[in-house]
């Protein structure tokens, strides 16, 4: 068995402890907000994005319009562009179909594990296989648990503390990425705006918060770059 | 929302998600990102997750609640995430706190 494959699965296994409740809650929440089980499964299968699914279904349940739901979900998922750009060189040597599959199964967790391996350990040319194995492990687990969550939604108490697993998962993903001041500023600005604009039309606070957060982080970078140039001259 | 509208949402979000994921990985890598765009994309995950987490932790029924069980669990989770870098442990810690504080 290819050692990269084994490493990939092994690396993802502990992460699954967090993914299982997240997926269960995502499926259950989707049905709770009014989706049919088939729709919840389809969302998971085609969009394959927990953050977008949870947010979109919550907005749908709160009566947001289709454009707002779509725009929010799409913007949340734009982070995949960043992951895609970073992973592309690692997957360049693989065939087109494999790369398409690799794109489809891309998640924050698989990306984070692969990036860590590429920077910390000595990245081997087979790191693409590591990524695929990790991502597929996640994908299978996710699909099953999302489906189960959707199925048992009626049985699960809807206000169980387990629903907090969703924001907790986002927190667990967020904290390790705050490696630069610009990112920290973007994070704080987005958080502040999202909370301050909580009364705004459903979903728009998230959209605006992301844009403002990015602008704030970017502005900090510009200021520091300019200051650096002034100091040098 | 009607069933048709739900499927429209699923369809558009799915296509957009796949395009975002596949743009660099599956398409010819002759596409180069401008430096400005790279800077913006670099900040996206942090901004997006923060925008999702903050209201979930700090807002309850439309009102700001700074001292709540969720805030406590969130703070513990941040600490544990910083100290361990382990997602599973972070989640368990956060869930334990919120279960304990109700």
């Amino acid at each position: 068995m290819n050692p990269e494959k084994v490493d990939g699965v092994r690396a993802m296994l502990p992460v699954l402890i967090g993914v299982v409740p997240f997926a269960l809650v995502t499926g259950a929440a989707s049905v709770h907000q009014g989706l049919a089980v088939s729709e919840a499964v389809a969302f998971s299968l085609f969009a394959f994005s927990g953050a977008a699914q949870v947010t979109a279904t919550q907005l749908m349940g709160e009566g947001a319009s289709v454009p707002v739901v779509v725009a929010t979900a799409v913007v949340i998922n734009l982070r995949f562009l960043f992951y895609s750009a970073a992973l592309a060189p690692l997957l360049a040597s693989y065939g087109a179909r494999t790369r398409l599959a690799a794109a489809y199964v891309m998640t924050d967790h698989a990306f984070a594990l692969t990036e860590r391996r590429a920077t910390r350990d000595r990245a081997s040319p087979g790191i693409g296989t590591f990524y695929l194995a990790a991502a597929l492990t996640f994908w299978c687990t996710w699909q099953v648990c999302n489906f189960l969550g959707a199925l048992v939604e009626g049985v699960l108490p809807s206000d169980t503390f387990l629903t907090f697993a969703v924001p907790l998962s986002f927190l667990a993903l967020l904290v390790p990425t705050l490696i630069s001041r610009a990112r920290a500023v973007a994070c704080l600005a987005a958080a502040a705006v999202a909370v301050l604009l909580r009364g705004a039309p459903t979903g728009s606070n998230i959209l605006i918060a992301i844009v403002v957060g990015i602008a704030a982080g970017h502005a900090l970078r510009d200021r520091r770059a300019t200051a650096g140039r002034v100091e040098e001259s | 929302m009607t069933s048709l509208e739900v499927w429209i949402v699923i369809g558009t979000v799915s296509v957009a998600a796949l395009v975002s994921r596949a743009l660099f990985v599956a398409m010819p890598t002759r596409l180069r990102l401008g430096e400005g765009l790279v800077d913006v994309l670099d900040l996206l995950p942090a901004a997006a997750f923060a925008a999702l987490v903050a209201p979930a932790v700090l807002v309850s029924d439309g009102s700001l609640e700074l001292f709540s069980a969720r805030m406590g669990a969130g703070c513990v989770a941040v600490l544990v995430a910083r100290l361990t870098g382990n997602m599973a442990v972070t989640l368990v810690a956060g869930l334990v706190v919120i279960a304990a504080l109700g």
Side-chain angles (χ1 to χ4, degrees):
Chain A
M1 173 73 88
N2 187 328
E4 297 278 355
K5 266 192 216 168
V6 174
D7 283 348
V9 175
R10 268 223 219 111
M12 186 55 83
L13 284 179
V15 177
L16 294 180
I17 300 178
V19 173
V20 167
F22 186 0
L24 284 171
V25 169
T26 300
S30 302
V31 172
H32 184 68
Q33 298 291 357
L35 263 67
V37 172
S38 58
E39 289 164 343
V41 168
F43 208 132
S44 234
L45 203 55
F46 299 128
F48 186 43
S49 163
Q53 184 168 344
V54 165
T55 310
T57 54
Q58 187 176 336
L59 290 176
M60 285 190 234
E62 292 172 356
S65 63
V66 168
V68 168
V69 176
V70 170
T72 310
V74 168
V75 168
I76 289 171
N77 281 345
L78 285 179
R79 70 190 191 282
F80 292 133
L81 276 172
F82 176 61
Y83 300 161
S84 185
L87 286 170
L90 304 178
L91 295 163
S93 59
Y94 292 75
R97 262 183 296 181
T98 308
R99 280 184 282 122
L100 187 59
Y104 165 64
V105 295
M106 192 182 297
T107 60
D108 311 276
H109 314 69
F111 169 76
L113 287 172
T114 307
E115 193 196 35
R116 194 185 303 179
R117 188 178 178 85
T119 54
R120 221 190 276 174
D121 318 323
R122 247 175 312 148
S124 79
I127 194 169
T129 311
F130 170 91
Y131 161 81
L132 278 164
L136 276 166
T137 308
F138 183 105
W139 185 89
C140 294
T141 311
W142 179 273
Q143 300 302 337
V144 169
C145 292
N146 175 79
F147 172 55
L148 284 176
L151 265 186
V152 304
E153 186 275 340
V155 178
L156 270 179
S158 56
D159 254 329
T160 178
F161 71 95
L162 275 180
T163 59
F164 203 56
V166 174
L168 277 179
S169 306
F170 297 154
L171 256 180
L173 284 169
L174 169 65
V175 172
T177 67
L178 300 177
I179 53 171
S180 72
R181 256 188 236 180
R183 285 186 180 183
V185 164
C187 162
L188 289 171
V193 172
V195 168
L196 285 169
L197 293 184
R198 62 193 178 277
T202 323
S204 51
N205 65 325
I206 299 173
L207 263 171
I208 298 171
I210 294 176
V211 171
V212 171
I214 293 176
H218 193 63
L220 179 79
R221 269 216 191 104
D222 272 346
R223 270 228 338 249
R224 300 183 85 205
T226 313
R229 280 200 288 278
V230 169
E231 278 170 22
E232 282 166 27
S233 62
Chain B
M1 198 170 274
T2 68
S3 188
L4 175 63
E5 286 173 322
V6 171
W7 284 101
I8 291 174
V9 169
I10 295 175
T12 28
V13 173
S14 303
V15 169
L18 187 58
V19 169
S20 298
R21 284 162 154 141
L23 196 62
F24 301 102
V25 164
M27 300 192 192
T29 42
R30 245 152 291 174
L31 209 70
R32 282 274 174 270
L33 281 179
E35 217 184 271
L37 195 49
V38 170
D39 278 346
V40 167
L41 286 181
D42 174 76
L43 300 170
L44 239 160
F49 286 130
L52 292 175
V53 170
V57 171
L58 295 170
V59 178
S60 197
D61 279 329
S63 55
L64 186 61
E65 250 190 66
L66 284 177
F67 302 108
S68 63
R70 294 178 156 210
M71 186 55 171
C75 289
V76 168
V78 169
L79 250 153
V80 172
R82 279 294 265 147
L83 291 172
T84 68
N86 186 313
M87 192 199 194
V89 174
T90 304
L91 252 145
V92 170
L95 287 174
V96 164
V97 173
I98 197 140
L101 295 179

